[in-house]
Amino acid sequence: MRSFSKVNTSKAIVLSVTSFGESDRYIQFLTQQWGVITVLAKAARKSKRRYVGGLDLFCHDEIFIKGDPKERPYLNELVVLNCFAGIRESLGKLLTAGKWIQWTKKFANYPTPMPGIYSLLGQSLALLEKNSEQHSERLDLLFRIKFLTQLGLQPQSRLCVQCTVELNADCYFDLPAGGLFCEQCALLNHLKTAKLKSWEQKALSIAEQIRLTQWHVLNIFEENLSNLINLLTQFASYHTHVRLPL
């Protein structure tokens, strides 16, 4: 039987920080090894030297803990890998990263390894910090698409969910059906759902197919992507019964 009396280590991203007592803090981490865990950081509110600024929201650390990761262990020490200071210097980036943290806390709040979600969040934060705020919307769209894919909930965006014809014109996004209807099928089903322009359908389809690091491909769409981002959020909320920030 494995013992957790020794120091255990994992890379981790800070999801939340809660004060406890006069000097301690509880830190919620998305870890590479154990999924989401909560760790007690003793004297974190008094000692600035002990945790070297690695307890701020979004920080990517290597953490060393004592105790069972699933039973609120103690944080022994940490090494900051990236504090993502550039995100905190931009209100737009800060808001975007905050929404990603909320998605992670709502959907992945389990002490179970989730390497895909851990990698997605870490890469997304790194790209968000590195690139201009004007690209935040494209990164946000990609993050939500890839997150839904990790959950096995990605919407059907290339073919009509009813007749399976390939979509290349205006269409309709239907939440219960989990994807898009061509105009003819929407008319037959008397759908009164969100209508997407042809370029929005194309953007959604491309976002599903490309890698996160290929976000620049979405620059071909000069129009605002906020409608697609909102629809994906509504889609996720509908199919998980979890309320999410738009």
Side-chain angles (χ1 to χ4, degrees):
M1 186 174 180
R2 186 178 179 182
S3 172
F4 290 99
S5 59
K6 65 179 182 179
V7 175
N8 297 279
T9 182
S10 177
K11 294 179 180 178
I13 299 169
V14 178
L15 300 181
S16 68
V17 181
T18 305
S19 296
F20 177 73
E22 295 184 357
S23 61
D24 303 337
R25 283 190 171 126
Y26 277 116
I27 315 299
Q28 187 181 46
F29 288 104
L30 171 61
T31 69
Q32 186 178 44
Q33 298 293 331
W34 315 297
V36 174
I37 65 171
T38 299
V39 176
L40 179 63
K42 291 187 174 181
R45 297 168 66 187
K46 291 185 177 181
S47 175
K48 296 181 179 179
R49 181 180 301 178
R50 186 174 182 184
Y51 302 115
V52 207
L55 299 184
D56 294 327
L57 194 62
F58 316 132
C59 278
H60 189 199
D61 306 318
E62 183 172 7
I63 61 173
F64 301 83
I65 64 172
K66 287 186 177 181
D68 187 336
K70 298 181 180 180
E71 298 295 334
R72 294 200 173 184
Y74 296 96
L75 181 61
N76 192 54
E77 62 178 313
L78 61 79
V79 175
V80 180
L81 303 176
N82 193 337
C83 66
F84 297 117
I87 291 178
R88 297 174 227 285
E89 296 170 357
S90 163
L91 179 59
K93 290 183 179 183
L94 194 62
L95 292 173
T96 298
K99 291 175 182 178
W100 296 348
I101 293 295
Q102 287 300 313
W103 273 55
T104 304
K105 291 171 66 175
K106 294 282 189 180
F107 290 132
N109 191 18
Y110 305 101
T112 302
M114 294 168 282
I117 290 178
Y118 166 81
S119 178
L120 173 63
L121 181 59
Q123 288 183 36
S124 297
L125 290 171
L127 287 169
L128 184 65
E129 180 188 39
K130 180 180 178 181
N131 291 284
S132 169
E133 183 180 324
Q134 67 181 359
H135 302 308
S136 297
E137 198 172 61
R138 290 166 174 78
L139 290 170
D140 196 9
L141 177 64
L142 278 174
F143 174 86
R144 298 184 196 219
I145 281 282
K146 304 306 179 187
F147 198 103
L148 288 172
T149 299
Q150 288 293 324
L151 297 179
L153 286 175
Q154 68 272 27
Q156 169 65 269
S157 65
R158 191 174 64 85
L159 306 176
C160 173
V161 295
Q162 181 163 312
C163 71
T164 69
V165 67
E166 187 166 353
L167 298 167
N168 54 16
D170 292 357
C171 54
Y172 292 81
F173 194 117
D174 187 67
L175 298 183
L180 305 180
F181 280 84
C182 65
E183 286 200 285
Q184 183 175 356
C185 288
L187 181 62
L188 290 173
N189 287 276
H190 307 287
L191 293 179
K192 297 181 180 179
T193 52
K195 186 173 183 177
L196 295 185
K197 297 177 181 178
S198 59
W199 73 264
E200 290 180 301
Q201 179 274 324
K202 185 178 180 181
L204 193 61
S205 179
I206 289 175
E208 285 191 359
Q209 298 174 55
I210 64 175
R211 296 190 299 273
L212 193 66
T213 53
Q214 295 176 302
W215 62 269
H216 56 276
V217 174
L218 292 175
N219 282 343
I220 62 175
F221 304 105
E222 298 180 357
E223 293 87 346
N224 194 311
L225 296 173
S226 60
N227 181 49
L228 291 178
I229 292 171
N230 291 339
L231 283 174
L232 286 177
T233 303
Q234 293 171 34
F235 174 83
S237 294
Y238 180 89
H239 287 279
T240 62
H241 308 290
V242 173
R243 188 172 182 178
L244 294 166
L246 292 175

